[in-house]
Amino acid sequence: MVKTIQNTAQGLFIALYGGSFDPLHYAHLEIIHILCENPMYKQIILMPNYRNPLKNHSFFEPFERLEMCRILANEINDTIENKKYASIIVSDYEVCQKKSVFSVQSVAFIKEQMAHKYPNIPLVFVLGEDSFRNLGQWKDVEKLCEMVDFVLIEREISQEDSQKLSHIVPYARVIERLNLPSHIAYYSSSYVRSLLQSNHIDEALEFIPQCLHTFIKTHIKL
């Protein structure tokens, strides 16, 4: 079954948090804050993808989503008073490939980069429980599980689904589960996009961190 160690991991980790971020919203921000404020993480890496393989295109262009990640990362890094908190960096690896990239490739790239600066710090992969349910279908999943442990963002699932979750990938190791505040737990980029597409800009911006508002208004395409 999936091995879970919650808040008891020894030492430091680097967390890789990838996704479309199309656009970033307050649930993403809360996840980043939770990771940053946990002393078990030394660094958080945001990695926007070039294209979600399940979608034909994104609302915002890949390099626009990359820039949004950079703006948010800079905002958080500048406001962190306690230097013991994890810093945030943004990786352009997947965007620069200009094609969909398998997670196992991205993880291998990040681990190679880390080997020089942080040779003894393990990498963890942050993803939602809904995505974890499909982990067995990912490319080279066994190799991926050898390279990383997992941090799961909890979703409201039935007890039956929760029991099934532990048998999806027997060799996956989950070190932590993140609980988001109920009022933002189900914020979704798809809902924010629907507001933007219907020209409800001000309503959409209520779900988006303030530091991104100017960028969103400048780059939105209707």
Side-chain angles (χ1 to χ4, degrees), residues 78 119 122-123 132 141 148 159 163 181 186:
D78 287 345
L123 181 68
F132 188 81
V141 63
V148 295
Q159 184 176 0
Q163 292 171 348
Y186 295 100

Side-chain angles (χ1 to χ4, degrees), residues 190-201:
S190 59
Y191 180 66
V192 177
R193 287 195 303 274
S194 71
L195 293 174
L196 293 173
Q197 288 166 336
S198 58
N199 206 27
H200 292 92
I201 310 301

Side-chain angles (χ1 to χ4, degrees), residues 26 192 195-196 200-210 212-217 220:
Y26 278 115
V192 177
L195 293 174
L196 293 173
H200 292 92
I201 310 301
D202 290 340
E203 189 176 349
L205 292 177
E206 294 177 8
F207 295 87
I208 297 172
Q210 181 72 38
L212 297 174
H213 287 193
T214 299
F215 185 91
I216 293 283
K217 289 186 222 180
I220 189 171

Side-chain angles (χ1 to χ4, degrees), residues 1 7 19 24 36 40 42 52 56-57 61 67 69 72-73 87 89 107 120 143-144 155 163 179:
M1 62 186 295
N7 296 324
L24 285 156
C36 281
M40 66 190 268
K42 183 173 182 63
N52 185 325
N56 292 326
H57 59 83
E61 297 297 327
E67 184 60 23
C69 287
L72 187 66
S87 61
I89 64 172
V107 166
N120 300 314
K143 180 179 179 182
L144 178 65
R155 309 292 191 202
Q163 292 171 348
N179 287 298

Side-chain angles (χ1 to χ4, degrees), residues 62-75:
F63 282 95
E64 291 174 341
R65 293 184 283 108
L66 177 66
E67 184 60 23
M68 281 191 276
C69 287
R70 286 172 172 161
I71 292 171
L72 187 66
N74 288 338
E75 176 78 7

Side-chain angles (χ1 to χ4, degrees), residues 18-112:
S20 296
F21 304 128
D22 186 29
L24 285 156
H25 51 69
Y26 278 115
H28 294 128
L29 178 61
E30 181 66 19
I31 291 165
I32 295 167
H33 274 150
I34 291 172
L35 294 169
C36 281
E37 294 171 7
N38 189 328
M40 66 190 268
Y41 300 112
K42 183 173 182 63
Q43 191 169 76
I44 315 302
I45 303 172
L46 297 184
M47 181 183 283
N49 59 34
Y50 179 75
R51 181 177 61 243
N52 185 325
L54 301 178
K55 300 175 183 177
N56 292 326
H57 59 83
S58 57
F59 184 78
F60 289 95
E61 297 297 327
F63 282 95
E64 291 174 341
R65 293 184 283 108
L66 177 66
E67 184 60 23
M68 281 191 276
C69 287
R70 286 172 172 161
I71 292 171
L72 187 66
N74 288 338
E75 176 78 7
I76 297 173
N77 286 333
D78 287 345
T79 56
I80 289 177
E81 296 180 2
N82 187 342
K83 298 304 180 183
K84 293 182 181 179
Y85 284 177
S87 61
I88 306 167
I89 64 172
V90 179
S91 173
D92 63 2
Y93 171 72
E94 289 196 9
V95 168
C96 287
Q97 302 311 300
K98 297 185 177 180
K99 62 180 181 180
S100 296
V101 179
F102 292 112
S103 294
V104 68
Q105 297 171 257
S106 299
V107 166
F109 173 80
I110 293 298
K111 285 185 73 71
E112 184 177 354

